[in-house]
Amino acid sequence: MSIDFQNKTALISGAAGGIGLALSRELGHLGMKIVMADIEQEVLQASANILRAEGIEVLACELDVTNFEQWESVVSAAKDKFGAIHMLINNAGVGGIPSGIDKSDNNIFQWVVDVNLMGVMYGARATTPSMKEHGEGGWIINVASMAGMNGVPYSTAYSATKAAVVSMSESWAVELKSHNIHVSALCPAFVKTRIHESLRTKQDKYKTNMLKENAENLKKGFGQAAALVESGIDASLLAKRVVEALENKQLYIFTHPNYRESMGYRARAIDKAFEDAQNSPLVKHLIDDEIVSL
């Protein structure tokens, strides 16, 4: 049985373009009312007008996801406009600056953490009370990445935050099940977006000299990132895949089955490490201990 999205409300961060815009369009055409939130106001308003012209009911709100008070304001505006929120898509994210850990910039690392990790937490914290309040259940979709399933060299901050998003999703899936709120971690590989240009949205408080000091190397790194992103799937295909996966109540939403073998390698490595522990004279006696769960 297909999900009835009619007249339900979705709040989507980073909705001005890329994945956020594609999901806004797809869900809007399925009958949802869309709250589009983004830090880029001019682009957001233009995108919102395009969707309105397609017959989608849209509320466009400015949002810096690193600011919890702004999240609260967006949630309040969404409830005032549409009455309730049924879906949250934590999509806003940044890629940071490619670098080895010994050359990482603390402020840039903090920027990635604040947007990709704290922004997701703030979104869930601000929105979940509304979902519980109306009692109809709902969805939280946190946009992670294949990088969150397996670390990527020279992208430590991005990989770490996306892994955290996967872990938070796993935690919230159990926590919110009794409220009929389904949680998913969306883990795509490369998608045609502007993630490689995310420095355009960097707030002034995250100052760095890295761009000047490593201009030539960074130009090469960003060029490689751009080529990988451009080789990706269209965001519109990803949006349709998300809807398909929601029908099956998937916790992990994958878009690139060609990554299955590499993820299987990681799973086998983990299993081998458990086998090693089981054979260890130091800890093998714990094999029959009861697993304590909360």
Side-chain angles (χ1 to χ4, degrees), residues 167-190:
S167 184
M168 289 194 299
S169 302
E170 292 167 337
S171 300
W172 298 341
V174 177
E175 180 181 336
L176 299 174
K177 185 176 181 179
S178 64
H179 297 278
N180 197 29
I181 298 172
H182 176 74
V183 181
S184 295
L186 171 57
C187 301
F190 294 107

Side-chain angles (χ1 to χ4, degrees), residues 91-166:
N91 167 67
V94 295
I97 297 178
S99 65
I101 187 57
D102 55 326
K103 294 182 173 60
S104 294
D105 182 285
N106 291 346
N107 282 347
I108 293 300
F109 204 106
Q110 189 64 58
W111 171 52
V112 178
V113 169
D114 287 351
V115 175
N116 291 3
L117 175 54
M118 297 307 298
V120 171
M121 192 279 282
Y122 288 158
R125 182 183 168 200
T127 309
T128 300
S130 173
M131 291 188 186
K132 290 182 177 181
E133 187 178 81
H134 60 63
E136 300 175 36
W139 305 267
I140 296 176
I141 302 167
N142 299 318
V143 180
S145 168
M146 288 307 301
M149 306 300 289
N150 202 6
V152 178
Y154 305 103
S155 296
T156 304
Y158 183 78
S159 298
T161 53
K162 293 304 185 179
V165 168
V166 172

Side-chain angles (χ1 to χ4, degrees), residues 21-22 89 101 135 193 242 244:
L21 178 57
I89 301 181
I101 187 57
T193 67
V242 168
E244 178 184 60

Side-chain angles (χ1 to χ4, degrees), residues 22-23 26 235-245:
L23 285 165
E26 182 69 21
S236 59
L237 175 60
L238 176 143
K240 292 182 183 300
R241 170 62 185 141
V242 168
V243 172
E244 178 184 60

